[in-house]
């Protein structure tokens, strides 16, 4: 059963077939209507498939083979850092003392977990140059909102009314969305010819009504902001706050600290930078670090250490409050802790240096085949343009991304950032070998040759995947997820 003939689990159903058997109950049997109110008892049996255990194992194993994952192949997904995560960190997260801990266990009975959170906070504060870190946000965008809400609370506490947040035109889309959700007017500032935030445009936009600037550094072009010191002077000079979108933190680990660059608050995608398998929307952990003047506004609770004991502090009158149930995605914190402890300071710096080296190697070998809108030394990722192929051969960036699937690679991020026409964003990460990078480079070069010599094969790609091109808009907005029988 391959390709389009692959049935759903319901189509495998055979009346009377079972996949599990249970022992006889060791308590007296009672009728269901004696246990539940009548209105909570369904009148017809649920339409569950009747399948054997072997049916289930084979079905879901076949399904799993349709997934593309970092365990299966290269995943050059720019701005998302889809790198290999050591499996031993999964073992750590599954230790029974952690995995079986109830979220509402009393602090005195969860000292080990609180100690881990405390030590992870100290480590990330040191790595980022911040003073305190909260782990409550569920993911990066949630961390952004938490950070901006703290900035808003900071100004409210000072009696200042500021109404605007500045974002560059190369920003992640979540940045303006976050600012708008927090009640701010979003001011977009353009990039300059070298891919930096345009300092003169910033100077003109910055006034006492601006609460913050939201920057990504290195930015989504994979370029380090060359004028970050001047940007900091302009923003702080008018009383604004510096917010760092830490999605690209992987590029600067152990090399430079955002807190030293003048940022007041930043979020760190633990699921990208610090060893948690992710994709498909989770699991995430958007830790947020802040400088001392923002510490009073951290969400509650905060883990505090008193002697050798740890406690949860809710008595924080200026806090923005609780922003999530329980205490964050604790499993991700364990993975991040294991990653940092196993890498050490030198290892984290090597992560950034290797990620940057790999990106520049791939860039150097592709620059003669694709347009390069910002021709600079890149950091962890770079952005090519498929404009040449589109104009000369009618082959779009989307066509080339789909064709990469036939070569065994996950497609990179495309059409982002928006300021690059036919953008192709590539992030090799530090965990790929030179052999893998060379294979990817050869695939990209082969696709460029195909665009010239046989553009139809690129137009029609992918040719080898279980499904071909989907209606992506309809799939996102009208997903068909419910079995209705046939």
């Amino acid at each position: 059963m391959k390709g389009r003939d692959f049935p759903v689990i319901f189509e495998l159903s055979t009346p009377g077939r079972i996949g599990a058997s249970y022992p006889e109950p060791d308590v007296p049997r009672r009728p269901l209507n004696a246990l539940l109110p009548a209105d909570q008892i369904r009148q017809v049996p649920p339409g569950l498939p009747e399948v054997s255990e072997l049916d289930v194992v084979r079905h879901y194993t076949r399904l799993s083979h349709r997934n593309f994952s970092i365990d299966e192949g290269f995943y050059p997904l720019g701005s998302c850092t889809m790198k290999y995560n050591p499996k031993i960190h999964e073992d750590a997260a599954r230790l029974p003392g952690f995995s079986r801990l109830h979220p509402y266990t009393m602090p005195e009975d969860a000292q080990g977990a609180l100690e881990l959170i405390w030590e992870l906070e100290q480590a990330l504060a040191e790595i980022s140059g911040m003073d305190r870190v909260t782990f409550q946000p569920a993911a990066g965008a949630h961390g952004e909102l938490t950070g901006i809400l703290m900035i808003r609370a900071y100004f409210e506490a000072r009696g200042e009314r500021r109404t605007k947040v500045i974002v560059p035109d190369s920003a992640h889309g979540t940045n303006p969305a976050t600012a708008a959700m927090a009640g701010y007017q979003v001011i977009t500032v353009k990039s300059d010819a070298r891919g930096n935030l345009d300092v003169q445009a910033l100077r003109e936009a910055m006034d006492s009504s601006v609460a913050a600037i939201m920057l990504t550094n290195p930015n989504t072009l994979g370029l380090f902001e060359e004028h970050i010191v001047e940007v900091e002077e302009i923003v702080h000079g008018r009383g604004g706050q510096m917010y760092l979108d830490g999605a690209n933190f992987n590029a600067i680990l152990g090399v430079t600290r955002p807190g030293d660059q003048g940022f007041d608050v930043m979020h760190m995608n633990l699921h990208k930078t610090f060893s948690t398998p992710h994709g498909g929307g989770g699991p995430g952990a958007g830790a947020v670090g802040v400088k001392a003047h923002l510490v009073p506004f951290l969400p509650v609770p905060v883990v505090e250490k008193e002697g050798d004991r740890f406690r949860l502090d809710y008595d924080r009158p200026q806090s923005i409050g609780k922003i999530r149930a329980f205490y964050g995605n604790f499993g991700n914190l364990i993975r991040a802790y294991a990653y940092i402890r196993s890498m050490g300071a030198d290892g984290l710096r090597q992560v950034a240096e290797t990620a940057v080296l790999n990106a520049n190697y791939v860039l150097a070998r592709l620059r003669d085949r694709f347009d390069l809108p910002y021709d600079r030394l890149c950091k962890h990722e770079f952005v090519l343009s498929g404009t040449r192929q589109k104009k000369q051969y009618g082959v779009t960036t989307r066509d080339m991304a789909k064709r990469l699937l036939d070569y065994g690679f996950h497609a990179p991020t495309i059409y982002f950032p928006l300021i690059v026409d036919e953008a192709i964003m590539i992030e090799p990460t530090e965990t790929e070998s030179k052999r893998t990078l060379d294979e990817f480079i050869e695939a990209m070069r082969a696709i460029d040759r195909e665009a010239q010599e046989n553009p139809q094969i690129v137009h029609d790609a992918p040719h080898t995947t279980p499904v071909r091109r989907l209606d992506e808009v309809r799939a996102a907005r009208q997903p068909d997820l419910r079995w209705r029988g046939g």
Side-chain angles (χ1 to χ4, degrees):
M1 289 181 284
K2 296 181 178 179
R4 296 176 185 275
D5 295 327
F6 199 119
V8 299
I9 189 71
F10 294 94
E11 293 172 321
L12 297 176
S13 182
T14 300
R17 184 168 292 176
I18 60 173
S21 58
Y22 299 95
E24 286 295 316
D26 57 0
V27 295
R29 290 177 180 270
R30 297 179 62 187
L32 193 59
N33 57 13
L35 300 171
L36 295 173
D39 62 352
Q40 294 185 21
I41 300 176
R42 63 184 311 146
Q43 301 304 307
V44 296
L48 300 176
E50 298 178 70
V51 290
S52 70
E53 179 177 320
L54 183 58
D55 292 334
V56 172
V57 170
R58 286 178 173 167
H59 178 73
Y60 287 103
T61 300
R62 279 196 296 269
L63 276 181
S64 72
H65 290 169
R66 286 187 165 187
N67 291 335
F68 192 100
S69 70
I70 195 66
D71 291 340
E72 187 180 23
F74 183 31
Y75 214 121
L77 200 61
S79 254
C80 207
T81 312
M82 298 294 286
K83 61 184 182 182
Y84 177 73
N85 299 290
K87 296 296 179 272
I88 194 170
H89 301 160
E90 296 300 306
D91 291 343
R94 286 166 172 74
L95 290 172
F98 289 138
S99 63
R100 295 180 184 175
L101 190 66
H102 192 279
Y104 281 152
T105 300
M106 298 299 290
E108 52 267 32
D109 297 325
Q111 287 294 297
L114 295 181
E115 182 175 3
L116 184 145
I117 293 173
W118 170 264
E119 291 192 2
L120 180 60
E121 178 183 351
Q122 308 309 304
L124 289 175
E126 174 63 27
I127 294 168
S128 64
M130 295 293 167
D131 292 306
R132 294 294 310 256
V133 179
T134 177
F135 297 113
Q136 292 199 33
H142 196 203
E144 289 178 30
L145 181 63
T146 302
I148 292 298
L149 290 178
M150 283 191 279
I151 289 174
R152 190 177 73 179
Y154 165 75
F155 283 117
E156 288 174 351
R158 292 165 56 91
E160 292 186 49
R161 173 172 166 72
R162 297 192 176 226
T163 57
K164 302 174 183 174
V165 167
I166 292 175
V167 297
D169 58 5
S170 63
H172 291 109
T174 50
N175 292 172
T178 292
M181 284 183 68
Y184 287 106
Q185 178 187 354
V186 177
I187 306 298
T188 303
V189 172
K190 65 181 180 180
S191 301
D192 65 19
R194 287 180 56 80
N196 299 302
L197 178 71
D198 188 307
V199 172
Q200 183 55 37
L202 171 64
R203 200 181 298 279
E204 294 170 0
M206 190 68 209
D207 58 31
S208 59
S209 68
V210 174
I213 182 171
M214 298 183 77
L215 273 180
T216 306
N217 193 27
N219 62 28
T220 58
L221 295 165
L223 305 174
F224 194 86
E225 291 287 346
E226 295 174 305
H227 310 299
I228 189 62
V229 174
E230 192 172 356
V231 168
E232 183 271 334
E233 290 173 350
I234 294 171
V235 174
H236 281 163
R238 302 305 297 266
Q241 296 289 288
M242 295 275 289
Y243 182 94
L244 178 72
D245 181 325
N248 294 341
F249 200 25
N250 201 60
I252 57 175
L253 286 175
V255 179
T256 180
R257 305 194 309 171
D260 298 338
Q261 297 169 23
F263 287 98
D264 302 289
V265 53
M266 71 170 291
H267 79 262
M268 293 164 268
N269 299 69
L270 300 191
H271 49 289
K272 292 184 181 180
T273 310
F274 297 101
S275 184
T276 288
H278 65 286
V288 178
V290 296
K291 286 293 196 180
H293 63 283
L294 291 171
V295 168
F297 309 101
L298 285 169
V300 291
V302 172
V303 176
E304 297 288 3
K305 182 179 183 182
E306 294 178 349
D308 295 331
R309 306 293 291 175
F310 301 88
R311 66 179 179 88
L312 295 172
D313 181 12
Y314 284 88
D315 187 16
R316 305 180 67 83
Q318 290 187 293
S319 166
I320 62 170
K322 199 154 177 42
I323 52 100
R324 188 177 188 278
F326 304 126
Y327 311 109
N329 284 334
F330 183 57
N332 287 11
L333 308 189
I334 299 168
R335 295 179 181 94
Y337 181 81
Y339 181 72
I340 292 171
R341 292 297 299 267
S342 62
M343 297 298 289
D346 292 342
L348 292 178
R349 184 183 179 97
Q350 189 175 0
V351 164
E353 292 175 342
T354 307
V356 172
L357 176 63
N358 284 356
N360 281 283
Y361 174 69
V362 178
L363 171 59
R365 294 200 54 199
L366 291 179
R367 68 187 335 142
D368 64 325
R369 297 299 185 99
F370 299 85
D371 292 331
L372 181 61
Y374 299 96
D375 193 358
R376 287 173 47 189
L377 188 72
C378 70
K379 294 306 172 189
H380 64 302
E381 66 188 9
F382 58 92
V383 180
L384 301 172
S385 170
T387 301
R388 186 188 317 175
Q389 286 77 7
K390 182 179 180 180
K391 287 184 177 178
Q392 295 184 3
Y393 317 117
V395 171
T396 67
T397 285
R398 184 181 305 281
D399 296 333
M400 292 187 283
K402 297 294 185 184
R403 183 61 174 148
L404 263 177
L405 302 176
D406 291 331
Y407 281 89
F409 299 103
H410 192 281
T413 295
I414 57 175
Y415 298 109
F416 180 79
L418 302 179
I419 59 175
V420 175
D421 182 50
E422 294 292 315
I424 309 171
M425 179 191 284
I426 296 171
E427 181 182 5
T429 79
E430 74 281 4
T431 57
E432 299 297 339
S433 67
K434 181 175 180 296
R435 177 176 179 174
T436 299
L437 298 183
D438 285 338
E439 291 171 349
F440 173 75
I441 291 164
E442 290 308 315
M444 289 288 289
R445 296 177 73 87
I447 293 170
D448 174 60
R449 287 194 297 273
E450 290 174 342
Q452 301 173 46
E453 300 166 359
N454 184 13
Q456 197 60 41
I457 197 171
V458 188
H459 278 306
D460 294 342
H463 301 275
T464 59
T465 52
V467 294
R468 304 290 290 278
R469 294 205 189 190
L470 302 174
D471 183 337
E472 296 173 359
V473 174
R474 184 181 176 192
R477 296 182 179 178
Q478 300 175 14
D480 183 6
L481 305 176
R482 181 182 173 188
W483 168 253
R484 299 177 188 276

